[in-house]
Amino acid sequence: MNRIYLIGFMGCGKSAIGRRLSFLLKMPYYDMDKEIVRQLGMTIPEIFERFGEDYFRDLETKFLQNLQQEQCIISTGGGVTMRKVNQRIMRQTGLVLFLDAPFKEIWRRIHKDPNRPIVRRSTREEIEALHKARYRDYKRTAHITIRTEHRSLRQITQYAAFQVKRLKNE
């Protein structure tokens, strides 16, 4: 197992857990969205506005295909699992951990975030429907689902690290 992918809906804690897991396991960390922003020199809302969502999804796939680092932790974009090719790449090249947070908690975290283009142009009901639609892909892609409700970032990180170490020893 070389890579550890963190998947889940926007606002579920992928970046926060990824940074902490990187420190705990002493592995390099990549935030897919931040890497794409850095490479293009544009914010995600700017990329969506100028090129559209399909272009952004293409960038996510290229990131997965072209990443050279073998041993690392990657927090993915919330929509990365919508493409079967991305599901396949992640499952074949690493351990996929789904951070499963309840929608009410996710909404509380994201509803005022100006850097989330989908949230800016959608109602709560539309975002909840998107969450439900993507949920199947998260479950299908994940090797392990980690429920985050009523758990601190520290507890979630320690549980993720435990699972990684357990599987490395098998």
Side-chain angles (χ1 to χ4, degrees), residues 36-72:
I36 289 171
V37 164
R38 187 181 58 76
Q39 288 170 5
L40 263 69
M42 301 169 74
T43 66
I44 292 173
E46 289 170 341
I47 296 168
F48 267 66
E49 194 172 305
R50 185 159 176 203
F51 301 109
E53 185 175 354
D54 284 343
Y55 180 80
F56 182 77
R57 300 299 170 207
D58 290 341
L59 294 173
E60 289 179 322
T61 301
K62 286 178 186 157
F63 176 87
L64 291 173
Q65 291 170 331
N66 298 329
L67 184 65
Q68 298 298 309
Q69 183 78 39
E70 286 298 320
Q71 298 267 338
C72 63

Side-chain angles (χ1 to χ4, degrees), residues 6-170:
L6 300 174
I7 65 170
F9 202 68
M10 61 184 124
C12 72
K14 297 180 299 286
S15 297
I17 298 300
R19 286 189 302 272
R20 285 165 176 80
L21 199 54
S22 167
F23 179 79
L24 194 61
L25 297 177
K26 296 175 179 35
M27 292 173 71
Y29 168 69
Y30 296 93
D31 182 309
M32 180 183 283
D33 287 348
K34 285 190 174 135
E35 292 297 318
I36 289 171
V37 164
R38 187 181 58 76
Q39 288 170 5
L40 263 69
M42 301 169 74
T43 66
I44 292 173
E46 289 170 341
I47 296 168
F48 267 66
E49 194 172 305
R50 185 159 176 203
F51 301 109
E53 185 175 354
D54 284 343
Y55 180 80
F56 182 77
R57 300 299 170 207
D58 290 341
L59 294 173
E60 289 179 322
T61 301
K62 286 178 186 157
F63 176 87
L64 291 173
Q65 291 170 331
N66 298 329
L67 184 65
Q68 298 298 309
Q69 183 78 39
E70 286 298 320
Q71 298 267 338
C72 63
I73 296 164
I74 303 158
S75 60
T76 63
V80 74
T81 59
M82 294 177 356
R83 290 190 173 178
K84 298 266 188 261
V85 63
N86 295 344
Q87 293 176 18
R88 189 170 51 253
I89 291 168
M90 290 187 292
R91 284 189 62 85
Q92 289 175 352
T93 61
L95 175 66
V96 185
L97 304 177
F98 167 32
L99 300 182
D100 185 3
F103 181 76
K104 66 181 183 316
E105 181 62 25
I106 287 172
W107 181 253
R108 186 185 62 73
R109 294 176 190 168
I110 68 171
H111 78 280
K112 292 183 181 171
D113 188 341
N115 291 313
R116 299 188 189 273
I118 294 173
V119 176
R120 286 176 30 193
R121 65 173 191 257
S122 306
T123 66
R124 178 188 169 118
E125 292 73 26
E126 289 168 330
I127 297 298
E128 191 165 12
L130 183 63
H131 177 263
K132 282 183 182 151
R134 289 182 179 177
Y135 193 85
R136 283 185 305 275
D137 288 331
Y138 298 141
K139 291 295 280 185
R140 184 176 334 168
T141 307
H143 292 106
I144 296 172
T145 297
I146 300 174
R147 303 246 338 128
T148 64
E149 190 172 23
H150 307 302
R151 291 193 173 124
S152 68
L153 287 173
R154 183 170 186 237
Q155 290 170 317
I156 297 163
T157 304
Q158 287 176 333
Y159 183 73
F162 166 78
Q163 291 295 343
V164 169
K165 289 174 185 173
R166 180 181 68 82
L167 291 170
K168 276 188 178 177
N169 292 331
E170 282 186 359

